[in-house]
C-alpha cells in the first residue's frame, strides 16, 4: 500500500510543483536573512571603523576561479588586491580585498581609502560602497529573486495549465 502511495505521489505533478515552490521560498528567505545579518554586521563595523589611506602592494592570483565561464585560461584567473595600511599607532597591516576581478583595475602603488576596526575586530575593507556592501547586496538580491520566483510560480503554473492543449480540449 505504501508503494502505491509513493507511485501516486511521484506521478502527481502538483506535489512536485508545491515542493519546488516551497524550496524557492525557503532558499529566498534564508538568503534574505543571511544578507540582512551581514548588513547588520557591516553597520556595526562602520559605526566603529576608522578611516585611513592604504596602498596596493600586490595581488593575490587565483587561477581556474571559474573555468566553466572562461573562453581561455587567462579568463578564469582572478586578481585580489593586497592592501597595506597603517593603524592609529602607526603599525603596518596588510589584507587581501574580499572582491577580485579578471582585470587589474587597481595598480601596484595606487592609494585608496581603507576602513578598519581600531581593536582589530573584523577584516579591514576598502572604503568603497561595493567592497563594504557588496556581499549583503548580493545575498539580499538573490534572496529577493528566489522568493519572487517562488511566489510567482503558482501563477505561472496556472497560466501554463490554462494554455496547454489538454486543458482546452477538456474544457470544451
Amino acid at each position: 500500500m505504501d508503494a502505491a502511495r509513493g507511485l501516486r505521489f511521484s506521478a502527481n505533478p502538483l506535489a512536485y510543483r508545491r515542493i519546488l515552490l516551497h524550496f524557492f521560498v525557503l532558499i529566498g528567505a534564508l538568503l534574505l536573512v543571511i544578507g540582512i545579518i551581514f548588513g547588520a554586521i557591516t553597520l556595526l563595523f562602520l559605526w566603529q571603523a576608522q578611516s585611513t589611506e592604504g596602498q596596493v602592494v600586490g595581488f593575490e592570483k587565483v587561477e581556474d576561479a571559474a573555468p566553466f565561464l572562461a573562453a581561455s585560461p587567462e579568463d578564469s584567473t582572478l586578481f585580489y588586491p593586497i592592501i597595506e595600511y597603517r593603524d592609529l599607532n602607526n603599525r603596518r597591516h596588510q589584507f587581501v580585498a574580499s572582491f577580485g576581478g579578471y582585470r587589474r583595475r587597481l595598480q601596484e602603488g595606487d592609494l585608496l581609502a581603507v576602513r578598519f576596526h581600531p581593536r582589530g575586530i573584523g577584516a579591514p575593507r576598502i572604503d568603497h560602497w561595493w567592497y563594504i556592501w557588496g556581499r549583503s547586496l548580493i545575498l539580499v538580491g538573490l534572496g529577493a529573486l528566489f522568493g519572487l520566483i517562488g511566489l510567482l510560480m503558482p501563477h505561472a503554473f496556472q497560466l501554463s495549465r490554462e494554455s496547454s492543449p489538454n486543458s482546452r480540449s477538456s474544457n470544451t
Side-chain angles (χ1 to χ4, degrees), residues 22 25 27 35 46 49 64-65 67 69 88 92 116 118 139 153-154 164:
H22 290 300
V25 171
I27 295 298
L46 290 175
D64 293 328
L69 296 175
L88 301 174
R92 195 179 322 176
F116 68 96
L139 289 168
M153 209 176 284
S164 72

Side-chain angles (χ1 to χ4, degrees), residues 26-37 139-145 147:
L26 179 68
I27 295 298
L30 188 63
L31 288 170
L32 273 171
V33 167
I34 293 170
I36 290 169
I37 289 170
L139 289 168
V140 167
L142 284 173
L145 180 66

